[in-house]
Amino acid sequence: MSHLPIVWLVGGSGKLGQTIAGLLEPNYQVISLSRTACKANTHHFIHYPVDLSQPLVALPDLLTHHLPRAIVFCQRYRPASQFDMSIACNTEILSTQQILEESCAKATSPLSVVIISSVNAFLINPHLSFWYHWLKASQIQLMKYYSVRKSASTFHINCIAPGSFLKDTIENYPPSHRSFFELLQEWSAKNVCTVQNIAHLVEYLISDKAACINGQTITLDGGLTNRLQEELIHTYDQQKRPL
């Protein structure tokens, strides 16, 4: 059995979870908590099937045999055709709260937590539903709450808020998606966020090097959020409207 520090990867059965697991693998034992395993081809990787709408069923065994040093809450999506608000709330918000409470109660060493949210927690995308925005904003508020309520000497928690990010090279996307990411490249000075960017930030935030970072939301969008505000001001200037 591995004696490496344990990281729980909650959700993230797709490309992002696979990339995070692969990056952490040399230095951590990664335990994947999700309905389906991500395709991580790593030696120190265990998939633990969990219904994230009811995590309390699995937590006693997990906390007994795989006590985490860090927890990464990755994306936990269901297909749009299967979307149910009560399930989404349980899976993305209540399960996070339950896992945090139970893990903190059992922790024997400082616990590092990262929640991967979205820039749509504070920006509105008309192509996405109200509930998507609400869930992402709730994740950030949950993070802020626990950053204050738990002792910073034994617990630190942060959010990553990526914009649209590349899971593959632009050339491998279908034309409709490729044109979108090409536009993002232009707007972000060719600094479109990738799964590797997110994974490297996760690796840093769960390390001892980031122990003084607590209760923060870090945006990964190549500066696009700031650019949008600049464009808004420029538009107002052009139209000669007072701000």
Side-chain angles (χ1 to χ4, degrees), residues 60-201:
D61 184 65
L62 278 164
L63 290 169
T64 299
H65 298 102
H66 304 290
L67 193 65
R69 164 67 179 76
I71 305 175
V72 180
F73 291 93
C74 213
Q75 294 165 321
R76 288 156 277 171
Y77 296 145
R78 289 174 184 257
S81 59
Q82 300 176 18
F83 181 82
D84 179 279
M85 183 55 203
S86 61
I87 294 176
C89 186
N90 285 338
T91 301
E92 297 205 35
I93 306 301
L94 296 181
S95 70
T96 302
Q97 183 264 340
Q98 291 168 346
I99 290 169
L100 288 177
E101 289 287 352
E102 296 296 318
S103 300
C104 286
K106 295 289 186 180
T108 58
S109 61
L111 181 66
S112 302
V113 179
V114 176
I115 299 175
I116 299 176
S117 182
S118 168
V119 294
N120 295 117
F122 37 83
L123 294 177
I124 303 302
N125 183 336
H127 298 288
L128 299 172
S129 71
F130 164 80
W131 296 113
Y132 179 88
H133 292 84
W134 182 85
L135 287 166
K136 296 307 175 185
S138 296
Q139 289 174 339
I140 290 179
Q141 286 302 112
L142 183 147
M143 176 274 296
K144 289 181 179 179
Y145 175 85
Y146 278 101
S147 72
V148 173
R149 296 296 295 171
K150 299 296 182 182
S151 170
S153 63
T154 59
F155 176 90
H156 69 277
I157 180 170
N158 297 284
C159 267
I160 298 174
S164 297
F165 58 89
L166 286 167
K167 299 178 183 179
D168 204 338
T169 60
I170 289 180
E171 293 73 21
N172 288 333
Y173 278 85
S176 57
H177 289 72
R178 193 184 311 151
S179 59
F180 172 74
F181 280 109
E182 286 172 348
L183 180 62
L184 278 186
Q185 272 199 326
E186 179 184 338
W187 272 64
S188 62
K190 299 191 182 302
N191 291 318
V192 178
C193 182
T194 67
V195 287
Q196 288 79 16
N197 295 142
I198 299 171
H200 280 292
L201 184 53

Side-chain angles (χ1 to χ4, degrees), residues 24-75:
L24 298 182
E25 189 268 341
N27 301 309
Y28 297 93
Q29 169 82 66
V30 179
I31 310 291
S32 168
L33 279 58
S34 61
R35 290 181 302 156
T36 56
C38 67
K39 298 176 181 178
N41 186 23
T42 63
H43 179 65
H44 302 297
F45 179 85
I46 298 172
H47 175 237
Y48 197 105
V50 175
D51 179 355
L52 291 175
S53 66
Q54 298 177 324
L56 291 177
V57 175
L59 283 177
D61 184 65
L62 278 164
L63 290 169
T64 299
H65 298 102
H66 304 290
L67 193 65
R69 164 67 179 76
I71 305 175
V72 180
F73 291 93
C74 213
Q75 294 165 321

